[in-house]
Amino acid sequence: MTTATVALKIDGLEVTVSEGTMILKAAKDNGIIIPTLCNLEGLSPYGGCRLCLVEISGSPKLFPACITPVSSGMEVTTQSERLTEYRKMAVQMLLAERTHICSVCVANDHCELQSLANQLGVDHVMFERNWTSLEIDSTHDFLVIDRNRCILCTRCIRVCDEIEGVHTLDLKLRGKDAQVIMDLDEHWGGSCSCTSCRKCAKVCPVGAIYIEGEPVSHTKHKDIAEFITERRQRKWKQ
Amino acid sequence: MCCSSGCAPLGAFKVLKAFEEAVKEFGVERECKVAKTGCVGTCSVGPAVVIEPGDFLYQNVTPETAREIVRDHIVLGLPMKDMLYGNKAFFEKQHRLVLRNAGKIDPSRIQDYIAMGGYSGIVKCLATMTPQGVIYEIATSGLRGRGGAGFPTGQKWGLVARSHDTPKYIVANLDEGDPGVFANRTLAEADPHAILEGMLIAAYAIKAEKGYLYIRSEYPLAIQTLQRAIAQAKSISLLGDNVLDTGFKFDVELRFGAGAFVAGEETAILASVEGRRAMPRPRPPYPANSGLWGKPTLIQNVETLANIPIIIQNGGAWFSKIGTPRCTGTKCFSLTGKTNNPGLIEVPMGITLREVVFDIGGGVPDGRTFKAVLVGGPSGGCLPDTLLELPIDYDSLTRVGAIMGSGGIVVLDDESCMVDTAKFFTEFCVDESCGRCTPCRAGLTRVKEIFDGITTGNSRMEDIATLEKSGVYIRDASLCGLGQTAPNPVLTTLRYFRDEYVEHIRDKTCRAGKCFKKEEEV
Amino acid sequence: METVEKTKLATIWLSGCSGCHMSFLDQDELLIDLAKKVKLVYSPIADVKVFPENVDVTLIEGAVANEDQLSLLKRARERTKILISLGDCAVTGNVTALRNAWENSDQAVLQRAYIENANVNQQIPIDVPKLLKKVRPLHEVVKVDYFIPGCPPSAALINYVVTELLAGRAPNMEGRSKYG
């Protein structure tokens, strides 16, 4: 069964992709990397971090590439002075929001937020930094969550719900007080639903969820969701 | 006798009882009927009482004066002139269409609503119009969504009607969360059937069979009024499996909010009705194609819906002549703040801010000077005296950095601090942010922190540029309307009242005398 | 014969571990070229007691944690044209600022160090500079012109920024601002 294809331009480059493809993937498949934090191939898109905002000619609005599907004749711009400024703002706001000190973090050198700040040249944060004291839960045998490092991308929530299927993780409270919790806000060690599959640690872009005693370079596995999702789809096709 | 949430706490029910006793005492039960009604609009002079015929409005009525009114006005035929509400200007420039029955009918009696011509709209649709014909009439009227965004209603209905998927749903939005706005609440308390009839007509037009009326739990009187109205409508076949024996099916269920302002956002309301966390989601897909449980859904503010019955009764062309060509009809506003006549008003679109503030509002009390008018609640703009000639319509307001919003107009005088005002609304949005997107959750909190510094003497001139830059970013990058409009108070006060920011930061003075009450340590 | 005026360079360490200064010195033989262009007028590794006037460039390592550091920072800002935050402590607060997560940490850290964990002569020191309520990165206190993140920033990075500035160009920090 063939799917319809769509032809569009990304940064002047003419590309052709399957109908229904999101701009983010269309760009990636053609060598154009748009920065993201909350997006993870294999999980439903969230559209929350706003790093992947792109310009589409004909509209003054900005569009999140992770959740905007391509359309015929679309002209997308992924790099511009304005977009770079906005990405730098987003990273600075995230760094100021909770306690992000790379030198003492378990994810130092393996952190997507750190790499993004480096890539964009965010050499300082224009806002006063917050020094939060949110609960660190290390009651689980080996999984630890340090909520002071969390950027609320919800990759952990989505992987636990969509891939592992148990939905142990979710959010409590709202806005700046929002936190990732286990079950009905109980300690991880006593969770009746957690299967200890570690996928949350594998997909966390920063050092918020990690495995005690294991180097982060070993734990992190960005492709896990895409891998499992594709395997499942191939199974159905058989 | 207004017994709405405005007059009730002022003793309206005691006054009502006094009237009933006085009527009995003077033996005029057959000549005089005492009825509970909804709000008349003059909220600052409650309890308010209207004597018909003659449209006599009595203000600040007490149980004692109630007896006097019955004795002198009703029995002896001598209206008590010095107790009447004397401010004709308050009503002169208003045009009460949405609030047509407010203060005139007993909202707990469906018979009253029907006696005023209510439900003749849906009858006309069922008997003589096709769904497309109904949509055409709404489109002709030029009605735009009254929830704040101002999307053309007829167009919205057309989008949902064209969707082939079934079943289709209607969601009526009564999650009115703007601080200081009580227009939707008042409408529901005064004339609940106007909303229900609007839903019925919409359901007929787009072929929906189920409607959800989402109301915030902080409105107990409105909830009670609507519950009673729904039950009464059901009892005479105006709702249910076989509306007026035509085979048309439509039922309405109430759903309650749980204390989140963001739940009033279109996609958040859908999540909440589905029992999920009330967080907005990105679009596409749009609710018209994929809303409740993935099905086509029409979401409308209750004020928009209350316009529908009279548009059907009188025709779209009639409605299109009210207001301005691009912005037809009227708009309800909660007028509050430093004004002589606070209350609920309804004005034709295109009326100027000056007329609202000075004619209807009666200007600023206590000899103080007008400074600014806030239009649009926490998502709105602070406009200075140089913009008083601005006509109130969606496009003019957006052009100056404000929004129509759900209808809040707050008047400020020289004792109000514009920096503190912007800070107050920013704090509100920070508390209500759902937390999904970086600009609103992380960015707006940074803006609030800068305001904390400015109002306590811990800031630098660079903070002004940071506020501006952050505000523009949050406006352009946020996922939903909350974040997109939250910077408006900040950006408009920076644009029109920059001096006050400079005075706070450079000179550590607040010309209104509000800030710098307590110094914080570095 | 024309003599080129040497750029007056100063370095300060506030609440830092001196690692950034070590990294500065790790420029090794590149320091020789640098020495041809700059004159070190104040530094913890030089014997100058008072921060001088008319400094061209000042590199400051460490966060601002006590009143002495606060006044030195302010004096440096007044007397220097270009002020650079050197290293994560100066740029973000870093390890030094971790105590900010606790309320009244200025008292709490002294309690823990000098009373609870002391075996003999338990007492809070009285003749040392008073701790600030919150430890701050430099730009939260004074205007900072350039930033060099890193813990420590590599010698190559320090060299890049300083040589760019000496050549009259603003350094391009894209790909050069990794914290940690």
Side-chain angles (χ1 to χ4, degrees):
Chain A
M1 184 179 103
T2 45
T3 7
T5 54
V6 172
L8 66 150
K9 269 198 189 149
I10 304 179
D11 289 344
L13 182 73
E14 291 188 15
V15 304
T16 307
V17 294
S18 311
E19 194 178 37
T21 309
M22 301 300 165
I23 295 176
L24 184 69
K25 185 147 203 312
K28 183 168 178 226
D29 289 348
N30 285 280
I32 296 173
I33 308 295
I34 302 171
T36 73
L37 278 172
C38 68
N39 186 265
L40 194 69
E41 208 52 49
L43 298 178
S44 63
Y46 189 58
C49 71
R50 313 308 275 178
L51 261 325
C52 71
L53 292 174
V54 293
E55 292 164 1
I56 297 179
S57 67
S59 173
K61 297 200 312 189
L62 297 172
F63 297 82
C66 61
I67 207 158
T68 308
V70 297
S71 68
S72 181
M74 200 184 237
E75 282 180 38
V76 181
T77 307
T78 74
Q79 290 287 347
S80 74
E81 221 177 279
R82 181 187 181 206
L83 289 177
T84 305
E85 262 318 296
Y86 281 4
R87 286 167 190 155
K88 285 167 95 162
M89 290 289 289
V91 168
Q92 289 182 71
M93 287 168 175
L94 287 172
L95 288 174
E97 187 175 34
R98 293 190 179 176
T99 309
H100 296 282
I101 298 301
C102 303
S103 58
V104 296
C105 179
V106 71
N108 192 8
D109 282 344
H110 300 280
C111 170
E112 293 179 46
L113 180 61
Q114 183 186 36
S115 314
L116 197 51
N118 185 11
Q119 186 193 316
L120 291 166
V122 175
D123 60 9
H124 74 286
V125 171
M126 67 167 83
F127 308 104
E128 195 177 310
R129 294 177 90 108
N130 271 261
W131 302 89
T132 51
S133 40
L134 298 168
E135 198 200 0
I136 299 171
D137 186 346
S138 56
T139 56
H140 189 281
D141 282 344
F142 44 83
L143 285 163
V144 184
I145 182 169
D146 183 345
R147 298 182 173 96
N148 300 292
R149 298 176 181 154
C150 179
I151 58 170
L152 294 168
C153 71
T154 71
R155 273 192 197 170
C156 55
I157 296 174
R158 281 174 285 144
V159 79
C160 188
D161 175 44
E162 295 167 21
I163 306 293
E164 184 65 2
V166 292
H167 204 127
T168 300
L169 304 173
D170 211 313
L171 288 174
K172 78 167 174 180
L173 303 176
R174 64 172 181 244
K176 60 175 175 25
D177 302 319
Q179 289 167 62
V180 174
I181 52 165
M182 294 78 203
D183 294 333
L184 297 174
D185 199 13
E186 297 153 57
H187 278 140
W188 215 339
S191 169
C192 51
S193 66
C194 176
T195 59
S196 302
C197 74
R198 302 159 209 240
K199 288 191 195 57
C200 48
K202 290 177 198 285
V203 302
C204 179
V206 296
I209 299 184
Y210 57 93
I211 294 172
E212 197 150 337
E214 186 173 285
V216 154
S217 53
H218 201 255
T219 314
K220 298 220 180 289
H221 191 351
K222 265 190 84 171
D223 303 324
I224 188 92
E226 183 177 20
F227 179 63
I228 295 178
T229 304
E230 280 192 1
R231 285 287 306 155
R232 288 178 182 166
Q233 286 167 351
R234 227 175 288 148
K235 185 180 175 192
W236 290 333
K237 274 191 186 165
Q238 282 164 1
Chain B
M1 164 94 251
C2 173
C3 291
S4 270
S5 297
C7 291
L10 295 169
F13 285 101
K14 285 207 183 91
V15 175
L16 182 76
K17 193 153 173 274
F19 268 107
E20 284 166 349
E21 284 169 2
V23 162
K24 226 190 251 161
E25 183 196 331
F26 288 100
V28 285
E29 293 104 308
R30 259 185 299 169
E31 290 91 337
C32 174
K33 181 177 155 199
V34 179
K36 276 195 341 275
T37 70
C39 173
V40 187
T42 52
C43 303
S44 64
V45 295
V49 178
V50 177
I51 307 286
E52 294 280 12
D55 210 20
F56 293 93
L57 173 58
Y58 285 95
Q59 63 182 15
N60 301 120
V61 183
T62 63
E64 292 74 37
T65 51
R67 187 179 172 276
E68 282 172 32
I69 291 168
V70 175
R71 184 195 66 203
D72 290 0
H73 183 143
I74 294 176
V75 177
L76 297 173
L78 300 167
M80 306 180 66
K81 292 211 173 60
D82 51 340
M83 296 198 42
L84 288 171
Y85 182 73
N87 192 348
K88 285 201 170 48
F90 182 75
F91 291 106
E92 240 154 47
K93 297 214 161 169
Q94 293 193 46
H95 192 22
R96 293 170 91 84
L97 287 182
V98 167
L99 298 170
R100 53 193 175 275
N101 294 326
K104 295 199 166 78
I105 63 167
D106 183 340
S108 67
R109 288 169 41 91
I110 192 171
Q111 303 92 306
D112 279 19
Y113 181 69
I114 293 172
M116 299 293 276
Y119 286 118
S120 64
I122 184 63
V123 166
K124 185 175 178 184
C125 291
L126 290 168
T128 68
M129 297 172 83
T130 61
Q132 295 93 310
V134 173
I135 296 177
Y136 174 79
E137 215 58 45
I138 304 302
T140 308
S141 74
L143 178 68
R144 291 165 72 166
R146 295 291 191 254
F151 193 86
T153 310
Q155 204 176 319
K156 206 175 194 183
W157 289 22
L159 285 167
V160 186
R162 272 196 290 282
S163 227
H164 292 302
D165 205 1
T166 57
K168 296 190 192 166
Y169 297 100
I170 297 196
V171 174
N173 188 342
L174 218 170
D175 192 56
E176 186 174 56
D178 291 27
V181 178
F182 41 89
N184 290 169
R185 182 196 79 199
T186 310
L187 171 63
E189 290 172 358
D191 196 7
H193 291 282
I195 301 170
L196 295 177
E197 189 179 357
M199 289 177 82
L200 267 165
I201 295 170
Y204 178 73
I206 66 162
K207 299 201 176 77
E209 290 186 353
K210 187 65 188 266
Y212 293 96
L213 210 168
Y214 190 91
I215 179 168
R216 56 182 300 192
S217 4
E218 295 92 335
Y219 284 174
L221 183 57
I223 290 175
Q224 211 180 72
T225 313
L226 282 163
Q227 278 169 334
R228 193 185 294 119
I230 291 171
Q232 288 182 352
K234 264 203 193 100
S235 72
I236 57 171
S237 275
L238 278 163
L239 286 172
D241 285 340
N242 192 3
V243 174
L244 297 177
D245 218 20
T246 59
F248 171 56
K249 263 172 91 163
F250 186 62
D251 202 8
V252 175
E253 206 182 294
L254 283 179
R255 284 294 169 94
F256 308 108
F261 172 67
V262 74
E265 198 274 344
E266 221 177 45
T267 54
I269 231 183
L270 295 178
S272 187
V273 171
E274 289 177 13
R276 297 182 292 111
R277 189 179 150 98
M279 275 173 102
R281 61 158 172 80
R283 275 152 287 187
Y286 289 88
N289 291 319
S290 175
L292 279 179
W293 301 288
K295 300 297 179 184
T297 307
L298 174 70
I299 303 152
Q300 297 280 192
N301 179 272
V302 292
E303 187 179 329
T304 318
L305 290 168
N307 277 293
I308 304 298
I310 46 170
I311 292 175
I312 296 299
Q313 279 168 30
N314 301 300
W318 161 83
F319 190 85
S320 70
K321 296 198 185 71
I322 303 164
T324 72
R326 279 177 56 85
C327 220
T328 59
T330 60
K331 181 81 187 77
C332 297
F333 287 103
S334 308
L335 179 63
T336 58
K338 307 295 177 77
T339 173
N340 274 309
N341 302 323
L344 184 64
I345 66 173
E346 184 177 350
V347 290
M349 294 283 200
I351 193 173
T352 64
L353 282 172
R354 182 179 293 284
E355 289 172 278
V356 170
V357 174
F358 290 98
D359 296 340
I360 299 175
V364 173
D366 302 330
R368 306 231 66 94
T369 9
F370 170 86
K371 189 191 234 183
V373 60
L374 276 66
V375 188
S379 322
C382 305
L383 308 175
D385 55 357
T386 49
L387 289 175
L388 278 170
E389 304 311 325
L390 195 78
I392 296 182
D393 66 61
Y394 291 101
D395 312 305
S396 303
L397 286 170
T398 319
R399 221 177 310 123
V400 296
I403 63 164
M404 184 76 74
S406 54
I409 295 184
V410 184
V411 184
L412 297 178
D413 67 12
D414 51 306
E415 274 181 338
S416 318
C417 172
M418 298 317 293
V419 176
D420 184 68
T421 302
K423 176 181 166 205
F424 172 80
F425 284 124
T426 303
E427 278 172 350
F428 175 79
C429 290
V430 165
D431 279 343
E432 298 295 335
S433 169
C434 79
R436 186 172 188 137
C437 76
T438 307
C440 176
R441 181 196 76 237
L444 212 54
T445 315
R446 310 281 81 73
V447 169
K448 172 212 178 298
E449 287 167 358
I450 294 173
F451 272 110
D452 285 340
I454 292 177
T455 53
T456 54
N458 290 311
S459 60
R460 295 182 284 181
M461 290 301 284
E462 292 82 61
D463 288 344
I464 292 182
T466 308
L467 282 179
E468 189 105 47
K469 221 173 152 189
S470 307
V472 169
Y473 168 68
I474 296 166
R475 183 196 65 197
D476 290 349
S478 287
L479 189 151
C480 84
L482 194 159
Q484 288 158 5
T485 56
N488 286 346
V490 181
L491 292 173
T492 48
T493 48
L494 282 171
R495 185 170 164 185
Y496 302 117
F497 301 95
R498 202 180 196 86
D499 292 344
E500 289 196 34
Y501 282 90
V502 175
E503 283 164 20
H504 277 72
I505 298 172
R506 186 191 60 201
D507 313 325
K508 299 209 195 338
T509 51
C510 171
R511 57 166 91 160
K514 266 216 98 176
C515 306
F516 307 111
K517 291 292 161 65
K518 181 182 142 203
E519 283 265 342
E520 270 177 26
E521 263 188 60
V522 168
Chain C
M1 196 171 83
E2 225 184 280
T3 41
V4 181
E5 266 275 327
K6 276 193 179 177
T7 304
K8 293 201 208 73
L9 174 72
T11 78
I12 301 178
W13 66 43
L14 301 175
S15 274
C17 67
S18 81
C20 294
H21 273 71
M22 297 305 109
S23 197
F24 179 87
L25 293 171
D26 273 348
Q27 287 178 83
D28 296 335
E29 68 276 10
L30 296 174
L31 285 171
I32 300 171
D33 286 326
L34 198 61
K36 295 189 183 136
K37 302 194 193 106
V38 307
K39 181 177 169 194
L40 195 62
V41 296
Y42 180 92
S43 176
I45 55 176
D47 194 17
V48 183
K49 300 287 183 259
V50 178
F51 195 90
E53 308 265 1
N54 293 318
V55 179
D56 293 312
V57 181
T58 304
L59 290 162
I60 306 189
E61 166 189 344
V64 190
N66 66 42
E67 289 179 352
D68 267 21
Q69 292 168 358
L70 186 60
S71 62
L72 175 56
L73 175 63
K74 288 190 171 161
R75 189 178 313 135
R77 177 68 273 187
E78 271 169 39
R79 298 180 181 185
T80 187
K81 287 202 197 65
I82 295 176
L83 196 113
I84 305 177
S85 286
L86 176 65
D88 277 1
C89 289
V91 176
T92 73
N94 206 22
V95 177
T96 333
L98 287 175
R99 70 167 169 88
N100 289 348
W102 283 267
E103 259 194 71
N104 299 317
S105 62
D106 56 329
Q107 293 161 27
V109 293
L110 293 173
Q111 264 290 115
R112 178 61 60 90
Y114 293 101
I115 307 287
E116 291 168 38
N117 286 346
N119 292 326
V120 289
N121 282 340
Q122 295 165 332
Q123 60 170 29
I124 306 276
I126 46 169
D127 44 8
V128 289
K130 192 157 181 275
L131 294 180
L132 298 176
K133 280 247 167 281
K134 275 183 77 171
V135 179
R136 312 227 123 181
L138 306 185
H139 66 287
E140 283 186 18
V141 182
V142 298
K143 180 157 190 334
V144 171
D145 302 298
Y146 298 100
F147 302 82
I148 310 180
C151 186
S154 69
L157 177 58
I158 297 173
N159 184 263
Y160 167 78
V161 174
V162 175
T163 47
E164 282 297 283
L165 286 173
L166 287 174
R169 292 188 292 268
N172 176 9
M173 298 308 285
E174 284 179 17
R176 294 192 178 88
S177 53
K178 187 174 92 64
Y179 301 97

